[in-house]
Amino acid sequence: MNLFFQTNIMKRGTYAFLLIAILAIQPFAQAAASAVKPLSTVESEITEKITVGTIKDITATLSSTEMQGRGTMQPGGDKAANWIAERFQKLGLKPLGDKGSYLQKIDFKETLFTPETTFKVGDESLKFGTDYAFIPYSKDDKSAGGDLVFIAYGVQAEQIKRDDLQGINVRGKVVVMLDGPPANVSEDAWEKGNAKFAILGNIFRSGAAAVVIIGHGREKDAPELIISYLSRRQIALSGESVQSQPIPPIITAGRTAAEKLFAKSGTTLKEALAAAEQNNFKPIDLKQTAKIVSKTKSVKGTSSNVVGYLEGSDPKLKEEAVLFSAHYDAYGTENGKIYFGAADNALGTAEMMSVAEAYSKMSVKPKRSMIFLAVTGEEYGLYGSKHWAKNPTWNIKKVAANLNLDGIGSEVYGPVKTMVGYGGEHSTLGILLDDLAKTMGISVIPDPVPEEKVFYRSDHYSFVERGVPALMILGAPAGDKEIWLKRIEAWEKTDYHQPGDVIQPNWAWEGAETVAESMGILGWRISETEAMPSWLATSRFAKLERGNSKELPEEK
């Protein structure tokens, strides 16, 4: 699976489980928190100059209909970039983009499925993007056809006396199957055995013309949601080569489409799913033929990062900089729908820009320079941040640290009383966050679900790869976890990375203000410390130097 698929499907579940875990252990974290300490005079001024009004205004503007979802390689994305650039100019930030501008242009390539793309069952044509979509690693132009046959999970295992391909030759056939594991097999055992790819490999070696994967009803993500993601336009860097896999087409089909596959088989979909859970399952001839055509087209274009800076006041330290970042892009416009991206990540961008506004109005200027970077292309693979990190418009060896904001809007569920600092365990930035949290009466907890690897899948990691210590801040509210769990689950099903991600009337904006204040004060403390933040000896990045261009050490 490519980064597009991972970034969107995996990120979705990650944040849900993350916030659930935060809320579950929050009472224990709060009980252990140290007494609140007062802020310094300058830090108090930062909090005064970061306002809810600014955060609301920027969030509303960026997530408005006018911005058309801020899509990479779309007019709405360009409009948003220019609007942010104008705001930077009004704040007095100096341009740090191309040729004296605030914009750093990036060459992209957009790939779309064309109307020639079809999946025909018998005489009926199914609807792309609603009934079905192609799995990314089989999206290259292809065509296939053949008789339809249902093989349950495709399992062939003597130890459980099961053979889902019993008595059938799949050569030349369009195989319909379920994405495992079966109900009586643990997910751990299934994953450890790499069963999915072993089964698909066996099916392809056996000569199947194509594979259609349908849902069994126990999925964390419904097939329809996955179809929504996979049918959208694909964005990659213009010069990025994509290796084509020499395999037949693989389709994900929704419930309505699945029922049509079984319409003439004499077995209902419900009956077939029940039979699939039995070890004595036998393949079912669906008594229909399928014709599949996958056709794409690609066009090149550009989108831009937006970057400006405030010069530091110290004659020596102003050559070094604190880098603030947030991605402003969302999914733009798809099939006439606008993906507004209010929580992800107009809100994070607004919080970062409110920090820029506060610094621009400070009576005392920070010693180090402050860079504010709004990146594009995050939703498709962290492309904007990776581009800046590889083509920095500031000496990368003099970037003291990166502070990044990206999330699902959990900070507006209520007053923020808990934080996770992704990357805090790797550098002295974690110590700074802990100290600040005590000052602000906030509990900091380690990543509750490290196996989800959130740290490696947002923009801050692009800077870690170049040897710059980085921290992503996630805020969460207090309260009964069951209340927030219900709200999170409902929002995820209807709004996350969907047109429904808009500003809600019940957002608690003071939570967003707290996150912005935390970012602003952390930036100030980094600026005023003589030494730049450093990697901890216990971190796997301990030997990295700023400007790193070598492959990172393997994760332990």
Side-chain angles (χ1 to χ4, degrees), residues 15-272:
Y15 280 125
F17 287 119
L18 167 67
L19 192 50
I20 291 166
I22 288 174
L23 295 168
I25 68 174
Q26 188 180 52
F28 301 100
Q30 287 177 327
S34 301
V36 177
K37 300 176 183 178
L39 297 172
S40 70
T41 302
V42 174
E43 291 167 352
S44 294
E45 186 181 358
I46 292 173
T47 65
E48 291 169 3
K49 287 180 167 40
I50 291 175
T51 67
V52 163
T54 291
I55 297 171
K56 289 178 71 173
D57 174 60
I58 296 174
T59 304
T61 300
L62 290 177
S63 60
S64 66
T65 301
E66 181 185 1
M67 295 296 180
Q68 300 176 306
R70 313 183 303 283
T72 302
M73 266 188 68
Q74 288 188 339
D78 293 339
K79 185 173 289 186
N82 288 323
W83 185 86
I84 294 169
E86 289 174 8
R87 187 97 178 197
F88 280 0
Q89 184 179 35
K90 289 177 182 177
L91 293 177
L93 271 65
K94 295 183 178 181
L96 200 56
D98 301 329
K99 299 177 181 178
S101 74
Y102 292 93
L103 302 180
Q104 181 190 40
K105 288 195 174 182
I106 306 172
D107 293 324
F108 284 104
K109 178 176 66 176
E110 174 189 77
T111 301
L112 297 165
F113 285 93
T114 70
E116 290 86 357
T117 296
T118 58
F119 179 21
K120 195 171 184 180
V121 179
D123 295 327
E124 184 171 3
S125 294
L126 303 184
K127 187 175 181 180
F128 178 75
T130 301
D131 293 323
Y132 74 97
F134 288 90
I135 299 293
Y137 45 67
S138 64
K139 68 178 177 60
D140 297 324
D141 293 355
K142 294 175 182 178
S143 61
D147 294 334
L148 287 159
V149 60
F150 179 59
I151 63 166
Y153 295 94
V155 172
Q156 292 180 293
E158 292 183 4
Q159 60 268 39
I160 59 174
K161 297 181 179 179
R162 176 164 182 154
D163 184 0
D164 290 351
L165 275 66
Q166 181 182 167
I168 190 169
N169 183 354
V170 300
R171 182 168 295 279
K173 291 181 169 58
V174 176
V175 172
V176 179
M177 63 180 293
L178 302 169
D179 190 5
N184 62 354
V185 176
S186 74
E187 289 193 13
D188 284 347
W190 187 263
E191 293 295 331
K192 288 179 181 177
N194 202 23
K196 177 178 180 177
F197 295 101
I199 289 170
L200 285 174
N202 179 52
I203 291 170
F204 294 146
R205 285 192 298 272
S206 298
V211 170
V212 180
I213 298 175
I214 63 175
H216 47 57
R218 303 186 310 277
E219 300 89 357
K220 292 178 181 177
D221 293 303
E224 288 75 13
L225 177 65
I226 297 175
I227 290 167
S228 172
Y229 281 115
L230 298 183
S231 60
R232 299 176 192 178
R233 64 200 186 101
Q234 310 282 300
I235 301 293
L237 294 175
S238 180
E240 188 174 57
S241 61
V242 179
Q243 293 185 348
S244 175
Q245 298 295 328
I247 59 176
I250 305 176
I251 282 175
T252 292
R255 182 81 181 191
T256 300
E259 289 175 346
K260 293 176 180 179
L261 298 176
F262 285 84
K264 296 182 180 181
S265 68
T267 302
T268 67
L269 174 61
K270 184 177 180 181
E271 291 169 341

Side-chain angles (χ1 to χ4, degrees), residues 292-308:
I292 297 167
V293 176
S294 168
K295 182 72 174 177
T296 62
K297 69 174 182 179
S298 296
V299 296
K300 293 184 178 181
T302 63
S303 278
S304 300
N305 291 331
V306 190
V307 56

Side-chain angles (χ1 to χ4, degrees), residues 212-455:
V212 180
I213 298 175
I214 63 175
H216 47 57
R218 303 186 310 277
E219 300 89 357
K220 292 178 181 177
D221 293 303
E224 288 75 13
L225 177 65
I226 297 175
I227 290 167
S228 172
Y229 281 115
L230 298 183
S231 60
R232 299 176 192 178
R233 64 200 186 101
Q234 310 282 300
I235 301 293
L237 294 175
S238 180
E240 188 174 57
S241 61
V242 179
Q243 293 185 348
S244 175
Q245 298 295 328
I247 59 176
I250 305 176
I251 282 175
T252 292
R255 182 81 181 191
T256 300
E259 289 175 346
K260 293 176 180 179
L261 298 176
F262 285 84
K264 296 182 180 181
S265 68
T267 302
T268 67
L269 174 61
K270 184 177 180 181
E271 291 169 341
L273 293 179
E277 300 304 334
Q278 307 303 313
N279 283 350
N280 61 357
F281 169 84
K282 294 182 179 179
I284 301 173
D285 182 356
L286 300 185
K287 300 177 182 177
Q288 294 192 85
T289 59
K291 183 178 180 181
I292 297 167
V293 176
S294 168
K295 182 72 174 177
T296 62
K297 69 174 182 179
S298 296
V299 296
K300 293 184 178 181
T302 63
S303 278
S304 300
N305 291 331
V306 190
V307 56
Y309 76 104
L310 291 170
E311 188 174 26
S313 61
D314 185 272
K316 180 181 178 182
L317 292 181
K318 70 178 182 180
E319 296 179 1
E320 300 172 357
V322 180
L323 174 64
F324 300 88
S325 63
H327 76 89
Y328 72 86
D329 66 301
Y331 282 99
T333 302
E334 294 265 358
N335 300 317
K337 298 178 181 178
I338 298 176
Y339 291 73
F340 296 97
D344 182 22
N345 189 39
L347 181 61
T349 304
E351 291 163 352
M352 180 195 72
M353 292 177 69
S354 74
V355 174
E357 180 179 81
Y359 275 117
S360 71
K361 297 178 179 179
M362 292 287 290
S363 59
V364 180
K365 301 301 180 183
K367 292 180 179 179
R368 287 189 171 91
S369 296
M370 299 294 189
I371 300 173
F372 295 89
L373 174 65
V375 299
T376 187
E378 188 272 350
E379 298 293 4
Y380 298 93
L382 314 184
Y383 287 127
S385 57
K386 284 181 180 293
H387 183 81
W388 194 92
K390 290 180 180 179
N391 305 278
T393 56
W394 190 276
N395 185 345
I396 194 74
K397 294 182 179 181
K398 294 186 177 181
V399 175
N402 167 244
L403 299 176
N404 183 56
L405 293 177
D406 183 19
I408 59 171
S410 54
E411 66 265 46
V412 292
Y413 286 3
V416 168
K417 294 297 180 183
T418 301
M419 281 188 177
V420 175
Y422 290 100
E425 70 276 22
H426 291 293
S427 75
T428 53
L429 292 175
I431 299 171
L432 289 178
L433 179 61
D434 288 341
D435 288 343
L436 174 60
K438 293 173 184 177
T439 302
M440 299 183 71
I442 293 172
S443 299
V444 176
I445 62 171
D447 182 357
V449 282
E451 66 278 6
E452 297 289 346
K453 302 185 186 301
V454 178
F455 172 65

